[in-house]
């Protein structure tokens, strides 16, 4: 099992828009990968992305990608032109991920993050069903694309406040299987599972048993770095990861600073580090988090 750190951990610091600095800081935490948002590389030329990959490799880490498009390229939209724009975005993302040598592309790439039905019940039920149908049709097209790429898709299953098409591992497996592609799988996130799943251990096992577990995100229930001091049952999570022989990547995704560019969207209304925080302290905390996660499966 490899360990990663989402670049959003550094957002809100003096280095939050400096990719080389974030790569260097991430390498100092002892993880294997930095997870990157598309806006930091999608606009670059292939040669520039390959230079970014080389910089990361020189630091001893790899790059994986996480994130989707906006509502203008929603794969589950009722607009054919918007869905086509979504598939064009998928082509761009897969080419970029290949330039970066990323083994997995994860996120709410099957729709739009923070999308909700426009109508109340019972209209919302109809909207959810239609969005799911459009989503599956688009994913079937994506599955054809994926034959030309050595990359897995990890559809991120998020909580009810962030998306409405699928909120549990079981719902996600159903959509992934309907796509017809073995490369379309799931990203399960401890933060979201803690809200939606009756039992997150069963959810992880369910996705694995159906050969649809591509990726994992880890954090405490308040999105701090995982350390074992909160209310998440990490010992049980480690146990199921050992039983299923999980050998992919588990990424820490802490959102901890109110000064971060996405703080409003992730509802980070208080700093989860005591002020004044320091970069050295953040590096040390992430290093301890990585060691903690590795210890779960030893």
């Amino acid at each position: 099992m490899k360990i990663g750190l989402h670049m959003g951990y550094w957002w809100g610091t003096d280095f939050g828009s400096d990719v080389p600095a974030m790569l260097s800081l991430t390498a100092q935490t002892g993880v294997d990968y930095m997870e990157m948002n598309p806006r930091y590389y999608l606009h670059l030329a292939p040669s520039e992305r390959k230079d970014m990959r080389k910089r990361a490799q020189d630091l001893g880490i790899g790059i994986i990608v996480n994130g989707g498009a906006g509502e203008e390229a929603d794969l589950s939209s009722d607009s054919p032109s918007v869905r086509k724009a979504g598939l064009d975005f998928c082509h761009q993302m897969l080419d970029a991920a290949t330039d970066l040598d990323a083994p997995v592309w994860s996120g709410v790439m099957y729709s739009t993050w923070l999308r909700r039905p426009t109508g109340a019940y019972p209209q919302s039920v109809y909207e959810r069903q239609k969005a799911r149908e459009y989503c599956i049709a688009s994913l079937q097209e994506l599955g054809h694309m994926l034959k030309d790429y050595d990359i897995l898709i990890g559809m991120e299953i998020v909580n009810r406040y962030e998306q409405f098409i699928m909120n549990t591992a079981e719902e996600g497996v159903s959509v992934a299987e309907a796509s017809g592609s073995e490369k379309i799988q799931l990203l399960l996130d401890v933060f979201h599972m803690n809200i939606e799943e009756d039992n997150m251990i069963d959810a992880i096992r369910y996705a694995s048993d159906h050969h649809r577990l591509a990726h994992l995100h880890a954090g405490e229930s308040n999105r701090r770095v995982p350390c074992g001091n909160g209310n998440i049952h990490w010992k049980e999570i480690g146990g199921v990861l050992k039983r299923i022989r999980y050998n992919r990547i588990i990424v820490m995704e802490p959102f901890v600073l109110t000064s971060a560019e996405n703080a409003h969207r992730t509802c980070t209304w208080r700093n989860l580090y005591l002020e004044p925080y320091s970069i050295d302290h953040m590096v040390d905390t992430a290093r301890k988090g990585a060691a903690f996660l590795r210890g779960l499966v030893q």
Side-chain angles (χ1 to χ4, degrees):
M1 187 177 74
K2 302 296 185 181
I3 307 297
L5 178 65
H6 194 286
M7 69 186 314
Y9 183 58
W10 310 114
W11 292 342
T13 73
D14 292 339
F15 307 99
S17 59
D18 185 337
V19 172
M22 286 188 281
L23 284 169
S24 178
L25 289 168
T26 299
Q28 292 174 45
T29 69
V31 300
D32 305 293
Y33 288 91
M34 185 171 87
E35 192 163 76
M36 293 188 64
N37 184 280
R39 67 178 172 273
Y40 289 86
Y41 58 80
L42 199 58
H43 64 287
L44 300 177
S47 60
E48 293 175 297
R49 289 193 287 261
K50 290 174 183 177
D51 288 344
M52 186 181 290
R53 177 184 73 191
K54 177 66 163 51
R55 181 185 292 271
Q57 290 172 340
D58 288 345
L59 291 166
I61 60 175
I63 293 173
I64 48 178
V65 297
N66 172 266
E71 60 184 12
E72 74 284 351
D74 186 340
L75 290 180
S76 67
S77 170
D78 58 2
S79 165
S81 62
V82 171
R83 295 197 302 275
K84 182 182 182 304
L87 290 170
D88 291 342
F89 175 81
C90 288
H91 262 303
Q92 297 174 45
M93 280 292 294
L94 291 169
D95 286 341
T98 299
D99 292 337
L100 294 169
D101 197 26
V104 62
W105 168 26
S106 67
V108 187
M109 38 67 58
Y110 51 87
S111 183
T112 304
W113 184 46
L114 302 183
R115 178 182 170 186
R116 295 184 179 184
T118 57
Y121 179 85
Q123 176 65 20
S124 59
V125 176
Y126 173 77
E127 288 185 55
R128 188 176 196 246
Q129 180 59 33
K130 293 303 295 183
R132 184 181 186 275
E133 291 171 2
Y134 288 130
C135 173
I136 289 171
S138 296
L139 291 174
Q140 289 170 346
E141 294 295 321
L142 174 58
H144 294 305
M145 283 187 215
L146 287 167
K147 294 176 182 178
D148 297 326
Y149 296 92
D150 186 20
I151 187 169
L152 286 178
I153 299 297
M155 299 189 297
E156 185 165 8
I157 309 303
V158 297
N159 70 74
R160 68 189 71 185
Y161 307 110
E162 299 185 29
Q163 241 292 329
F164 73 111
I165 293 177
M166 43 187 159
N167 301 121
T168 67
E170 185 174 355
E171 291 177 334
V173 165
S174 176
V175 170
E177 290 182 338
S179 76
S181 173
E182 294 181 354
K183 290 184 177 180
I184 296 180
Q185 301 187 19
L186 306 185
L187 157 57
L188 297 183
D189 185 313
V190 170
F191 172 77
H192 299 295
M193 287 191 290
N194 187 54
I195 296 172
E196 294 294 344
E197 300 287 358
D198 292 326
N199 186 307
M200 71 174 72
I201 309 307
D202 290 344
I204 293 170
R205 186 185 297 110
Y206 184 88
S208 176
D209 287 348
H210 287 77
H211 309 289
R212 295 290 173 173
L213 183 58
H215 196 42
L216 285 168
H217 274 177
E220 296 296 343
S221 60
N222 54 11
R223 307 203 97 159
R224 281 192 168 107
V225 172
C227 62
N229 294 328
N231 57 16
I232 300 296
H233 299 294
W234 291 109
K235 183 177 179 180
E236 289 81 358
I237 291 174
V240 73
L241 294 180
K242 285 191 283 189
R243 286 193 295 276
I244 67 174
R245 298 182 179 180
Y246 183 76
N247 61 356
R248 293 176 177 165
I249 308 168
I250 181 167
V251 169
M252 297 182 288
E253 192 190 28
F255 294 129
V256 294
L257 297 178
T258 57
S259 54
E261 59 190 76
N262 69 332
H264 185 82
R265 302 186 82 194
T266 58
C267 301
T268 307
W269 310 128
R270 59 190 173 90
N271 279 334
L272 297 177
Y273 278 125
L274 295 176
E275 297 184 81
Y277 69 89
S278 72
I279 286 293
D280 288 343
H281 177 62
M282 291 182 70
V283 168
D284 185 59
T285 300
R287 185 184 297 116
K288 291 175 179 175
F292 173 75
L293 291 178
R294 287 193 176 97
L296 293 179
V297 295
Q298 291 177 351

